[in-house]
Amino acid sequence: FSDLRVNVASICFLVFAVAWFFIYEYKKINLQHFRNIEFIPPAIDISMISYMIYLTGTVNSFLVAGYFYAITLCSLNTQISQGRFAFLFSTFMYMSITLAVYFDFLPAISLLSPNSNFSFTQMILAFFLIIVSNYAVYRTVHDLAMRNDSLLRSLTLEKEKAEQANKHKNEILANMSHEIRTPMNAVIGITNHLIEEENNKPELVEN
């Protein structure tokens, strides 16, 4: 696209992406205490995608696939409900922009084709498809992520149990070794003493 609006939006998005990378990578913000900050990146992403959808024909735009990408990434986060937020926010943004264009609050724009108008039937069908497809992506990815997280937790727990059992086994073997070695030393000592006495008997008889 050579449109100035697209270039400005792309530069702003790039600046935000680089800034967030440094904030996240170098831990400039403690995300453990401010978990809600993690909703900012998907909100910016979805807003940018929605703006690009508006510029490329709204209902007729193929860039709605960007919603699927954003929802998929957010649904992989099992710590907070980022996936649900991405689903709801993307649906809200799409419906808001589409309704604004349909009721002429925003001018209809399409940088890819001269046809930027759409009918009421097309709008309702687009709403239905967006809601169903976005929710399907969210539920599928979120459920898989939760199962994977549960499996990882169970494997970690089993590993900890195995390590604990191995530790107990080593402690038991060490105690058994000590308990066996102590009386064995006494037995060996007495045996050596008896052998020495037996060997000294001929000398006593001669004397």
Side-chain angles (χ1 to χ4, degrees):
F1 304 132
S2 59
D3 190 89
L4 178 61
R5 291 165 295 186
V6 176
N7 295 334
V8 171
S10 300
I11 292 173
C12 293
F13 181 74
L14 179 62
V15 169
F16 170 78
V18 173
W20 180 259
F21 171 79
F22 281 103
I23 290 173
Y24 186 83
E25 189 69 20
Y26 296 101
K27 296 178 173 58
K28 298 298 182 180
I29 299 177
N30 191 343
L31 297 178
Q32 297 298 325
H33 294 131
F34 304 99
R35 299 310 299 264
N36 290 336
I37 293 179
E38 294 190 54
F39 290 106
I40 295 177
I44 298 295
D45 291 344
I46 292 170
S47 298
M48 178 64 183
I49 293 169
S50 300
Y51 183 62
M52 297 299 291
I53 289 172
Y54 165 65
L55 293 179
T56 53
T58 314
V59 168
N60 301 316
S61 177
F62 67 93
L63 294 180
V64 290
Y67 286 149
F68 305 152
Y69 175 75
I71 293 172
T72 298
L73 291 181
C74 292
S75 298
L76 293 173
N77 190 340
T78 58
Q79 303 301 317
I80 59 176
S81 55
Q82 237 183 18
R84 183 187 304 167
F85 169 78
F87 160 65
L88 294 174
F89 189 63
S90 61
T91 303
F92 168 77
M93 289 296 293
Y94 183 80
M95 294 180 69
S96 299
I97 292 174
T98 305
L99 288 171
V101 172
Y102 182 79
F103 290 107
D104 295 328
F105 292 107
L106 290 174
I109 299 174
S110 180
L111 300 177
L112 299 178
S113 66
N115 182 22
S116 58
N117 297 319
F118 51 87
S119 65
F120 179 79
T121 304
Q122 288 176 312
M123 182 179 68
I124 297 300
L125 179 61
F127 286 168
F128 175 77
L129 292 176
I130 283 294
I131 293 173
V132 170
S133 56
N134 283 0
Y135 185 75
V137 171
Y138 159 63
R139 288 305 308 177
T140 301
V141 178
H142 179 71
D143 289 347
L144 289 174
M146 291 299 293
R147 290 178 187 176
N148 184 67
D149 187 64
S150 177
L151 178 61
L152 183 61
R153 290 176 185 273
S154 64
L155 290 176
T156 303
L157 183 61
E158 291 299 325
K159 180 183 177 182
E160 292 176 354
K161 287 182 179 179
E163 291 176 349
Q164 194 69 18
N166 188 55
K167 180 181 177 181
H168 288 328
K169 181 192 72 174
N170 292 335
E171 291 176 353
I172 292 172
L173 290 176
N175 291 335
M176 288 178 61
S177 175
H178 175 73
E179 295 296 332
I180 293 173
R181 186 169 58 249
T182 300
M184 283 297 294
N185 288 336
V187 171
I188 292 172
I190 293 173
T191 303
N192 290 334
H193 180 70
L194 293 175
I195 292 174
E196 289 177 0
E197 285 187 350
E198 190 68 25
N199 292 334
N200 292 333
K201 279 185 179 180
E203 296 179 2
L204 295 174
V205 171
E206 291 176 359
N207 293 334

